[in-house]
Amino acid sequence: MEGGGGAHSSRTAEEVFRDFRGRRAGMIKALTTDVEKFYQLCDPEKENLCLYGLPNETWEVTLPAEEVPPELPEPALGINFARDGMEEKDWLALVAVHSDAWLLAVAFYFGARFGFDKESRRRLFNMINNLPTIFEVVTGTSKKQSKEKTSNSSSKNKPNSKMQTRPAESQTRASKMHSPKEDEDSGADEEEEEEEEDHENTLCGACGDNYGNDEFWICCDMCERWFHGKCVRITPARAEHIKQYKCPSCSNKRARV
């Protein structure tokens, strides 16, 4: 299979983690922003198909490798057969779980292949564990309480809760919470710090990464998940003219109904 299990020169935990992160990003795209294309490719009438994440942050749906044994651990076989027998969200969640298992298998296959010691394996696992799983990204379960609190507080503090950049949000909160009394001012600062932490814990529904400083992000009015503008190809200027934003997943679901 071209690209799915090519030769790699990874030799350190950090290099294996970069490989893991690239494959993970590709699979998240397949199950979120590219979900319509992924859905169509998983035709139940075709043979056993697998979802592969590639190190360059792309993905492909194809037949399993012909080599016996394969160069890399193989992902779940026959994901297309379950497509029409389940609710779409449940099917995507099932594919996400198997994708998480495959990514871990590939990462620690490399760890064994390159002779990682106990410390290197622990370092690799810790780097992986700091990222949300694909299942958490696809289902929106990761940091659910933090995201709900973030969404509610943002709606109260912004005239347009759909979009914003973080510095503007901080300035808005600071100006609205300002008080001449020292004790009230201190309380406002503490609340501001808590909300900043909540936003830092919010994850992009497309790539699964945390929001960085000065990045534009937008909230889907249907599923209430937040996205990097660049991940869903929405600019601040374009967002100004959107009355109700629907992320790619929600738009595709409505199109198929």
Side-chain angles (χ1 to χ4, degrees), residues 50-70:
C50 301
L51 170 62
Y52 290 89
L54 307 182
N56 62 355
E57 301 188 5
T58 60
W59 60 275
E60 65 176 344
V61 171
T62 187
L63 295 172
E66 296 181 359
E67 299 90 350
V68 179

Side-chain angles (χ1 to χ4, degrees), residues 172-190:
T172 302
R173 282 202 302 269
S175 63
K176 289 191 177 184
M177 294 179 182
H178 177 72
S179 171
K181 296 181 181 180
E182 292 183 0
D183 55 344
E184 292 181 3
D185 194 26
S186 176
D189 290 339
E190 292 178 1

Side-chain angles (χ1 to χ4, degrees), residues 157 200 252 254:
N157 290 328
E200 290 174 0
N252 290 330
R254 293 182 65 86

Side-chain angles (χ1 to χ4, degrees), residues 1-8 19 22-23 27 50-56 58-67 70-75 102-103 105-107 109-110 113:
M1 179 201 62
E2 184 179 357
H8 295 276
D19 180 274
R23 294 177 188 275
M27 299 180 98
C50 301
L51 170 62
Y52 290 89
L54 307 182
N56 62 355
T58 60
W59 60 275
E60 65 176 344
V61 171
T62 187
L63 295 172
E66 296 181 359
E67 299 90 350
E71 183 179 353
L72 291 180
E74 286 295 307
W102 179 69
L103 287 176
V106 171
Y109 161 80
F110 282 135
R113 176 177 166 183

Side-chain angles (χ1 to χ4, degrees), residues 32-244:
T32 55
T33 55
D34 296 345
V35 69
E36 178 69 16
K37 179 180 178 182
F38 173 69
Y39 186 92
Q40 295 299 329
L41 288 174
C42 292
D43 186 350
E45 298 300 320
K46 295 182 180 179
E47 297 183 48
N48 293 309
L49 295 176
C50 301
L51 170 62
Y52 290 89
L54 307 182
N56 62 355
E57 301 188 5
T58 60
W59 60 275
E60 65 176 344
V61 171
T62 187
L63 295 172
E66 296 181 359
E67 299 90 350
V68 179
E71 183 179 353
L72 291 180
E74 286 295 307
L77 182 66
I79 57 173
N80 50 316
F81 295 150
R83 191 195 74 177
D84 293 344
M86 305 173 64
E87 291 287 337
E88 181 183 342
K89 64 175 183 176
D90 295 331
W91 175 66
L92 291 174
L94 178 65
V95 176
V97 168
H98 283 292
S99 298
D100 284 319
W102 179 69
L103 287 176
L104 285 172
V106 171
F108 283 90
Y109 161 80
F110 282 135
R113 176 177 166 183
F114 301 137
F116 284 4
D117 58 16
K118 181 178 180 180
E119 180 55 36
S120 295
R121 292 194 302 271
R122 177 182 294 141
R123 194 164 71 250
L124 174 60
F125 176 78
N126 287 339
M127 288 187 288
I128 291 173
N129 200 40
N130 284 332
L131 294 174
T133 64
I134 296 179
F135 175 81
E136 289 172 332
V137 173
V138 170
T139 61
T141 58
S142 179
K143 306 293 184 182
K144 187 175 182 179
Q145 292 182 349
S146 295
K147 287 194 287 187
E148 288 176 353
K149 183 177 179 181
T150 298
S151 181
N152 292 336
S153 62
S154 298
S155 298
K156 293 177 182 178
N157 290 328
K158 302 190 298 294
N160 182 358
S161 62
K162 260 192 319 190
M163 63 167 194
Q164 73 162 350
T165 55
R166 294 181 62 182
E169 176 196 20
S170 300
Q171 294 171 5
T172 302
R173 282 202 302 269
S175 63
K176 289 191 177 184
M177 294 179 182
H178 177 72
S179 171
K181 296 181 181 180
E182 292 183 0
D183 55 344
E184 292 181 3
D185 194 26
S186 176
D189 290 339
E190 292 178 1
E191 185 176 347
E192 181 178 345
E193 290 177 2
E194 289 181 5
E195 293 185 359
E196 284 290 345
E197 291 179 359
D198 288 337
H199 280 287
E200 290 174 0
N201 290 331
T202 303
L203 305 173
C204 174
C207 69
D209 288 338
N210 292 48
Y211 292 103
N213 292 328
D214 303 328
E215 286 188 307
F216 168 73
W217 44 308
I218 187 167
C219 180
C220 174
D221 289 309
M222 303 299 292
C223 64
E224 296 185 351
R225 288 191 295 172
W226 290 87
F227 298 85
H228 289 113
K230 62 184 180 182
C231 290
V232 291
R233 300 179 182 178
I234 299 293
T235 63
R238 182 180 174 187
E240 290 288 348
H241 302 286
I242 299 176
K243 294 182 179 180
Q244 185 181 54

